[in-house]
Amino acid sequence: MASTTAQLRHPDGRVELRDASSLHGSRFFNDELAPVPVERRTWTTYNYFALWNGMAFNLPSYLLASGLIAIGMNWVQAFMTIAIGNVIVLLPMLLNSHAGTKYGIPFPVFARAFFGVRGANLAALLRGLVACGWFGIQTWVGGQAVFVILGKLFGDGWTGAAEFYDQPWTLWLCFAAFWALQMAIIWRGMEAIKRLESWAAPLVTVGFVILLIWILVKAGGFGPIFSQESQLGWGPEFWAVFAPSLTGMIAFWATLSLNMPDFTRFGQGQRKQAWGQVLGLPTTMSFIAIMSIMITSGGMVVYGEAIWDPVELASRFDSPIVVIAALLGIVLATITTNLAANTVSPSYDFSNAFPRRISFRTGGLITGVIGIVIQPWRLISDPNIYIYAWLGFYGGVLATTAGVLAAGYWVQARRTLSLTDLFADGGGRYWFTGGWNWRALAATVIGAFFAVGGAYSAPGEGPFPADGLIPVLQPLYDYSWVVGLVVAFLAFLALSLPGGGAPNSPKSHNPIPEEETGERSGEGRPGPAAVDR
């Protein structure tokens, strides 16, 4: 009789359990965290392209480029910074995506293989809390867009309403309504999000295109926009800003570089998810960047100042029809991004921490509540805080987790995992010591120490001291993401060397029971080039 715990390896390299019912008794299991059966892995290249299209076209993406213009770069410098950053972050994203497609598991379950079944909660909650911050930011700017739209319809009585905590009470109402709408969608589950991303992907550019056309008309064409000179030049002043700005651009998607398994677990194959991401991320981010650059630069020509917030810029337009059409597109873009990038992942993360008590839907609700508590309106109050403090700091911290996972999966485990042991309640190969792998934790702490220990802010422009938290590490903070990734990667491998920290679980070196599924009748055994491993 065939073993019910055996893993079935399909010709395309994807793996599933012969019988997943053996996992149901584990307290570390629930239906949302379970490996996805191969027949339910239906996402194609287009689904991943559409996912990135929906996620990239949003206000925070726009604010990346407009923020660089606001701090003094010209269009060439801003576009170059963003394009390079997105090519760099694509590499760890694809590395961590592989396990999701191969084994059908989400990020927090993947992290159990190297942080331990319990220790993965640390990695998951670090990622989840950052996503909550992003959820709050997206919800705030989406609520602002709704506020401006209604202001054009209802007049000054709406926009000039009595203030509550330094904002019109009508703005807080829009923020709350926008929050509730997203919670209703996430409550319907992953399939609802997939459908929303698929049909919305071709439409989310509309708002930004309208903004661009309108500003080009007002500015007198492309000439005045592209002729603006950099306030930083190309000398030392620019390069001093370039390094931390590039780190901020990379850090913008550092969260997704960790949790893409949450989405690639539904992929039809490695090639399809990889091509969908390669075609989706750099192209859509470059497109939104150049649009943001032209709109912000055009605003400088028309209004004499860099208005980095597109909602504020749109509110200055004379035509109510143009304002409403532009902001409706932006609202749609914000919803698609927030649900895919900032709600799905922490929902899994919180569910992983308490699988029996927190479902995917409940995790989404928790995300929404924390997103309010974190006070997102403060995080985007200034481009220096947004890019150098928020993005730079959390990017360096999350990069350490990405470094541990890449080292563990690609070097130590050589892309081979045991699905049953990922849910084992004690004694499995990923239990380590009490469910924690101290090597991964130590590598994370070491990487974070070097990455963000020198966090600094220009005087009066951020929360950190001007000479850095630890002055001797200040120069490293400009490269926090790279430092965190590389240091944690090397530290984990060093600590895991035989005699210096090899896994101590009694089952860690046992062979993983695995069977190959038979090929269809009439087909030969696929050659290496036909197999996605």
Side-chain angles (χ1 to χ4, degrees):
M1 179 179 294
S3 171
T4 58
T5 62
Q7 297 183 170
L8 301 180
R9 180 161 54 87
H10 293 262
D12 64 1
R14 292 181 297 170
V15 175
E16 64 179 341
L17 284 174
R18 175 181 291 279
D19 181 6
S21 63
S22 61
L23 306 179
H24 293 183
S26 171
R27 57 184 166 140
F28 299 104
F29 172 89
N30 65 28
D31 291 335
E32 284 87 3
L33 299 175
V36 178
V38 165
E39 64 269 16
R40 287 177 45 209
R41 303 183 200 178
T42 59
W43 287 34
T44 65
T45 297
Y46 174 75
N47 290 129
Y48 290 104
F49 176 81
L51 179 73
W52 275 113
N53 196 296
M55 290 195 296
F57 281 93
N58 61 82
L59 268 71
S61 294
Y62 178 101
L63 293 173
L64 286 178
S66 63
L68 295 178
I69 296 296
I71 63 178
M73 291 188 184
N74 65 10
W75 77 271
V76 175
Q77 294 168 334
F79 183 76
M80 177 185 72
T81 303
I82 292 173
I84 293 174
N86 281 284
V87 170
I88 292 174
V89 79
L90 186 62
L91 176 60
M93 196 169 295
L94 292 176
L95 290 177
N96 284 328
S97 293
H98 189 279
T101 305
K102 183 173 182 178
Y103 293 99
I105 53 175
F107 159 67
V109 175
F110 173 43
R112 293 175 182 179
F114 309 106
F115 282 86
V117 175
R118 285 176 170 163
N121 288 328
L122 174 64
L125 291 177
L126 277 176
R127 162 65 183 96
L129 290 174
V130 170
C132 291
W134 274 119
F135 176 85
I137 289 174
Q138 293 271 21
T139 303
W140 177 253
V141 295
Q144 283 182 309
V146 174
F147 172 75
V148 173
I149 291 172
L150 295 179
K152 290 296 181 181
L153 296 175
F154 300 146
D156 294 340
W158 181 268
T159 55
E163 290 192 353
F164 179 74
Y165 282 99
D166 300 324
Q167 301 289 351
W169 70 265
T170 47
L171 175 55
W172 293 112
L173 178 63
C174 292
F175 175 56
F178 197 68
W179 179 90
L181 172 63
Q182 295 172 101
M183 289 296 98
I185 296 174
I186 196 68
W187 200 258
R188 296 179 64 86
M190 275 296 294
E191 279 302 310
I193 294 171
K194 175 188 173 184
R195 288 193 296 270
L196 177 66
E197 295 290 343
S198 295
W199 69 259
L203 303 177
V204 294
T205 60
V206 171
F208 294 112
V209 169
I210 292 173
L211 278 177
L212 177 60
I213 293 173
W214 188 260
I215 206 70
L216 285 174
V217 172
K218 289 288 188 179
F222 290 101
I225 293 175
F226 289 124
S227 64
Q228 290 195 65
E229 297 182 0
S230 169
Q231 299 176 29
L232 304 174
W234 285 95
E237 188 176 359
F238 165 71
W239 294 108
V241 171
F242 172 76
S245 298
L246 179 63
T247 296
M249 300 308 107
I250 297 170
F252 184 77
W253 290 120
T255 51
L256 267 294
S257 71
L258 284 180
N259 72 271
M260 273 309 293
D262 293 345
F263 302 98
T264 60
R265 66 192 298 226
F266 300 102
Q268 287 185 349
Q270 298 291 0
R271 289 183 178 85
K272 291 184 178 180
Q273 64 88 3
W275 273 112
Q277 296 195 73
V278 169
L279 294 174
L281 172 59
T283 54
T284 51
M285 281 299 293
S286 296
F287 186 55
I288 185 63
I290 197 65
M291 291 182 68
S292 172
I293 289 165
M294 290 190 291
I295 293 169
T296 307
S297 299
M300 293 176 67
V301 174
V302 175
Y303 299 108
E305 60 178 317
I307 304 173
W308 79 307
D309 185 346
V311 175
E312 180 184 349
L313 180 62
S315 69
R316 298 195 182 193
F317 293 172
D318 299 327
S319 170
I321 296 177
V322 172
V323 173
I324 293 171
L327 293 183
L328 280 176
I330 292 174
V331 166
L332 178 61
T334 302
I335 292 175
T336 58
T337 301
N338 224 12
L339 293 177
N342 304 320
T343 311
V344 170
S345 302
S347 295
Y348 283 129
D349 296 337
F350 294 130
S351 180
N352 183 75
F354 304 98
R356 294 301 180 117
R357 294 183 175 88
I358 299 179
S359 66
F360 177 84
R361 292 177 173 85
T362 305
L365 182 60
I366 293 173
T367 300
V369 172
I370 297 178
I372 296 174
V373 173
I374 207 166
Q375 300 183 57
W377 47 90
R378 299 185 185 275
L379 294 178
I380 59 168
S381 59
D382 181 86
N384 288 288
I385 295 175
Y386 177 62
I387 294 176
Y388 300 137
W390 168 244
L391 292 177
F393 190 89
Y394 90 66
V397 173
L398 291 188
T400 63
T401 303
V404 169
L405 294 180
Y409 183 67
W410 288 91
V411 180
Q412 186 188 68
R414 299 182 181 180
R415 306 188 306 279
T416 301
L417 302 176
S418 168
L419 286 172
T420 54
D421 284 331
L422 288 171
F423 297 89
D425 191 355
R429 71 185 67 228
Y430 307 125
W431 191 249
F432 301 103
T433 304
W436 296 78
N437 184 2
W438 67 266
R439 299 154 193 84
L441 301 180
T444 300
V445 171
I446 293 169
F449 174 79
F450 285 99
V452 301
Y456 72 94
S457 301
E461 295 184 352
F464 305 120
D467 58 349
L469 296 173
I470 303 175
V472 70
L473 297 178
Q474 181 186 7
L476 297 181
Y477 186 64
D478 287 347
Y479 311 91
S480 61
W481 185 86
V482 175
V483 171
L485 182 80
V486 172
V487 171
F489 184 98
L490 296 176
F492 181 74
L493 291 181
L495 292 171
S496 299
L497 289 173
N504 60 355
S505 169
K507 293 186 178 181
S508 59
H509 300 295
N510 289 351
I512 298 172
E514 191 170 86
E515 303 171 7
E516 291 195 21
T517 59
E519 284 72 46
R520 289 186 295 268
S521 177
E523 291 184 355
R525 186 174 182 82
V531 178
D532 287 333
R533 299 289 174 125

